[in-house]
Amino acid sequence: GEVRSGNGKGVPFGAAIEDEDEVERVREEGIDESEAMASSVMTSGRALAGCHATRRSSSRRGTHQQQHRSSSSSSSSSSIRSVAMHGRGDGRGFDMAMGWRESSLSSMVNASSSIGWWSSSSSFGGRRRGRRHRAVVASSELAASGGEAVRVLVVGGGGREHALVWAMARSSQCARIFCAPGNAGIEREPKTSLVSKEELDCDKHEDVVEFCNENGVSLVVIGPEAELVAGLADSLRENGIRAFGPSRKAAQLEGSKTFMKDLCDKYGIPTAGYEVFVDPEKAKAYLGRKDEFPVVVKADGLAAGKGVVVAQTMEEATEAVDSMLLGNRFGSAGSSIVIEDFLAGEEASFFVIVDSKGNTQPLHSAQDHKAAYDGDRGPNTGGMGAYSPAPVLTPEMEAEVMESVIEPLVRGLREEGCPFQGVIFAGLMIDDEGAVKVLEFNVRFGDPECEVLMHRLQTDLLDIILSSCDGTLDKFDDDGEGIQWRDDPALVVIMAAEGYPGEYDKGTVIKMIEEEEGGGGAKVFHA
């Protein structure tokens, strides 16, 4: 028989463990054969992947399982994100000895199924073909829970992607997660294998489609905005593969400041006054007529979060215009600029899931901290920390944002011929009187906001994402409960190399805090 994935491709069954090295390991280590077969399916084992080996301690269930990986568990040269829950711990840390085998393996396939796959000698599911490995699990161990068994590819390799992998791996519907390229922390998560840049270049969309077909992947979760703006989601959907994220056209909501501002203007979404320029002299003439500063100068395209200048004076504004339009500071992203009125108040972020039929479900709010140093001092960064929820966004204000911002936005995008499916990240400014205006829209989860959102989320993230892709988000309204969250707030603090975000020494080591030392439900994410 076969397991059908979402793209209609069959994943062939096997009948037993066929890898001789794996059989020998089972004999040498005295592992119960049924456990070894289950482990082969879920972890791809030492013999199957070369980067994941699992071993039980001598005692039985409830004990810790030592997990030996190719990367070090004590340090990383990348930055590390540490999330700690305040109040009670969440009580849902992974029991590596049993949790994912019992909860997730049981729903991976139906009661008579087993899964076969191709793997290379160095990494699971790579494009280099190796021996075929198959495993079977007794029908009693595969009692279906009613959910679809899903293999997921996550595109990206930062703290955001680590948080998404961590949250999806807890789902009973999750059979396997590949992350391209991922990082050393992501590799430590259950059910998860990395796919290196050499094995899969996600800029080559046809290669991503081929990888999904070869590995039975029926869902791709796209983390970074660049891949969305480049149209990766379109390529996947054209080939019958679910993609979580908007089309190339809809991704212009983030990819072009001009597109976003014009859309807000046309559909009555509150935002700052603005003008668009490609001619530096016309831009400077406009600035000369301004009575009040500061003003905000923005590169139209993607500029890795660095294309915004809050100019306090005419001189600073003129310098920003020249650097973007004449100095080619941001390349093609700065060939057009937007000059906005400055908005004063308190910033907050609000996240909403949208499905393929235009149904929406609010997620939650967060606030990030961008200054590099304590006390709001130092240069701006991509984010040095965040917390959720944001107290400034009351439930009444969130309802107003849904009515005056999100609903007209989703409706407007459909009317413009680019319906949105994925997550909308609304950057908001709330003034002293409680009025809300839009600073920006992003078409993916924020980073580091995603880390705190995932730590508070109680509803199955994979179920939410599948519902977004399948146009069934309204089921969360039908059950009367909506998407559920922990009441406790969550806080993330970033550890980064000294000198960041300026020049800094590469290859320095951040000594990792072991999660069990954090207490209170702490979780370490790698950026």
Side-chain angles (χ1 to χ4, degrees), residues 117-423:
W117 57 80
W118 287 96
S119 68
S120 71
S121 60
S122 60
S123 65
F124 182 86
R127 294 180 55 76
R128 294 191 301 275
R129 302 291 178 85
R131 288 180 297 177
R132 195 168 190 203
H133 306 285
R134 295 199 263 182
V136 67
V137 181
S139 59
S140 61
E141 295 184 43
L142 284 173
S145 68
E148 176 186 356
V150 182
R151 286 186 160 208
V152 184
L153 171 64
V154 176
V155 175
R160 167 182 52 215
E161 288 75 29
H162 191 174
L164 293 172
V165 167
W166 174 70
M168 286 190 291
R170 294 181 287 179
S171 171
S172 62
Q173 299 183 66
C174 179
R176 191 77 194 166
I177 300 175
F178 303 98
C179 191
N183 63 45
I186 292 173
E187 190 180 18
R188 293 160 59 94
E189 298 300 336
K191 311 178 192 176
T192 303
S193 298
L194 302 188
V195 185
S196 69
K197 179 81 169 178
E198 291 72 23
E199 293 170 303
L200 179 60
D201 184 350
C202 292
D203 293 333
K204 299 177 180 177
H205 297 177
E206 66 279 9
D207 288 357
V208 179
V209 170
E210 184 180 356
F211 177 89
C212 293
N213 288 333
E214 288 182 351
N215 291 278
V217 170
S218 60
L219 169 66
V220 179
V221 177
I222 305 168
E225 63 274 16
E227 281 78 359
L228 292 166
V229 171
L232 177 55
D234 302 80
S235 299
L236 291 162
R237 293 190 186 108
E238 288 166 4
N239 285 275
I241 301 167
R242 291 186 185 105
F244 181 69
S247 66
R248 181 199 301 266
K249 285 185 177 180
Q252 289 304 298
L253 189 63
E254 179 172 357
S256 169
K257 306 297 188 300
T258 302
F259 177 89
M260 172 261 175
K261 297 295 284 190
D262 288 348
L263 196 72
C264 288
D265 183 56
K266 183 174 181 178
Y267 292 95
I269 299 168
T271 188
Y274 72 103
E275 294 289 343
V276 179
F277 299 96
V278 294
D279 184 324
E281 296 309 316
K282 290 182 178 179
K284 286 183 276 191
Y286 170 77
L287 288 170
R289 297 191 297 270
K290 296 287 288 183
D291 295 326
E292 295 182 1
F293 285 84
V295 297
V296 183
V297 183
K298 296 181 177 181
D300 177 70
L302 296 178
K306 300 176 182 177
V308 177
V309 175
V310 179
Q312 301 293 332
T313 64
M314 175 67 179
E315 290 72 20
E316 289 182 7
T318 300
E319 181 181 344
V321 168
D322 286 342
S323 69
M324 293 181 193
L325 292 179
L326 294 177
N328 201 34
R329 179 179 177 188
F330 300 113
S332 60
S335 60
S336 172
I337 64 170
V338 174
I339 299 179
E340 288 184 347
D341 296 338
F342 177 78
L343 296 178
E346 187 170 355
E347 288 188 45
S349 303
F350 188 63
F351 297 84
V352 178
I353 296 284
V354 185
D355 76 12
S356 56
K357 295 180 180 177
N359 298 310
T360 60
Q361 278 289 328
L363 294 179
H364 229 294
S365 63
Q367 285 180 298
D368 71 341
H369 177 78
K370 292 192 178 298
Y373 312 132
D374 292 344
D376 241 359
R377 295 177 296 106
N380 270 4
T381 69
M384 294 304 293
Y387 55 82
S388 175
V392 68
L393 275 177
T394 63
E396 295 76 17
M397 202 171 291
E398 290 182 359
E400 179 190 338
V401 170
M402 289 296 294
E403 181 178 352
S404 65
V405 175
I406 301 301
E407 290 176 8
L409 173 66
V410 173
R411 183 177 64 254
L413 286 167
R414 294 187 77 84
E415 291 181 10
E416 295 297 316
C418 47
F420 191 97
Q421 183 258 303
V423 61

Side-chain angles (χ1 to χ4, degrees), residues 19-33:
D19 185 88
E20 294 179 2
D21 293 337
E22 181 73 357
V23 172
E24 186 63 28
R25 182 178 76 86
V26 170
R27 290 171 178 164
E28 288 179 356
E29 299 185 8
I31 299 174
D32 180 278
E33 190 169 338

Side-chain angles (χ1 to χ4, degrees), residues 81-86 367 369 384-389 448 451-453 455-456 488-494 522-523 525:
R81 300 172 182 238
S82 175
V83 175
M85 288 290 291
H86 287 257
Q367 285 180 298
H369 177 78
M384 294 304 293
Y387 55 82
S388 175
E451 288 88 311
V452 287
L453 290 174
H455 213 278
R456 294 187 59 225
D488 294 327
L491 172 72
V492 59
V493 175
I494 310 303
K523 173 65 183 176
F525 295 113

